[in-house]
Amino acid sequence: MSIVDSLFYTKDHEWAKIEGENATIGITDFAQGALGDITFIDLPKVGALLSQSKFCATVESVKAASDVYAPLSGEVLKVNTQLSTQPELVNLSAYDQGWFAIIKISDIAEKDKLMTASQYKVYVQELSK
């Protein structure tokens, strides 16, 4: 399982890569591993306003459908359209090719509610016990 040091994480296994006033978001390697082979992703629409910890997308796999929650609040600037025809990119590359959306962050202070990579590692280790 891969955890990227430069990202921030939620307890629901989403990640955010914060770059200035924007953030790229997606689900973690742990999440995609738990879901199994991903078969469909319903992404948010460009222009949608996301709220931290609220529903923003759905991931369907051979095992189950799962809701995805926004790690930060903001407006969706871009979505990864490749995922509509290649949802397996999340399984292959959760942090690079498998990103879900880029948002313009509306409240950077929300970052303080997210876990650092080292905190997320401890959290996942506790879940695995």
Side-chain angles (χ1 to χ4, degrees):
M1 175 191 52
S2 171
I3 296 174
V4 179
D5 286 340
S6 59
L7 304 180
F8 293 89
Y9 299 87
T10 71
K11 289 186 175 183
D12 293 315
H13 309 289
E14 293 90 14
W15 59 265
K17 179 181 182 182
I18 299 172
E19 298 175 297
E21 62 183 20
N22 295 339
T24 304
I25 62 174
I27 63 170
T28 65
D29 190 46
F30 178 89
Q32 71 78 23
L35 286 166
D37 292 338
I38 294 173
T39 57
F40 177 77
I41 301 172
D42 184 22
L43 296 170
K45 305 288 184 246
V46 172
L49 298 177
L50 306 182
S51 296
Q52 186 176 43
S53 303
K54 302 294 183 192
F55 172 83
C56 72
T58 302
V59 176
E60 294 180 13
S61 72
V62 293
K63 292 182 181 179
S66 184
D67 290 342
V68 177
Y69 303 98
L72 295 161
S73 298
E75 179 183 356
V76 178
L77 301 176
K78 183 177 180 179
V79 296
N80 187 352
T81 55
Q82 274 191 296
L83 297 181
S84 63
T85 57
Q86 295 177 286
E88 68 276 7
L89 289 175
V90 177
N91 293 118
L92 299 172
S93 179
Y95 302 114
D96 294 315
Q97 296 177 21
W99 60 276
F100 281 27
I102 298 173
I103 65 169
K104 181 175 182 181
I105 302 167
S106 59
D107 184 0
I108 193 62
E110 290 179 343
K111 179 178 88 167
D112 296 339
K113 296 178 185 174
L114 301 176
M115 290 181 275
T116 64
S118 58
Q119 291 168 323
Y120 184 66
K121 285 175 190 169
V122 170
Y123 177 70
V124 170
Q125 287 170 350
E126 289 299 315
L127 289 178
S128 302
K129 288 184 178 178

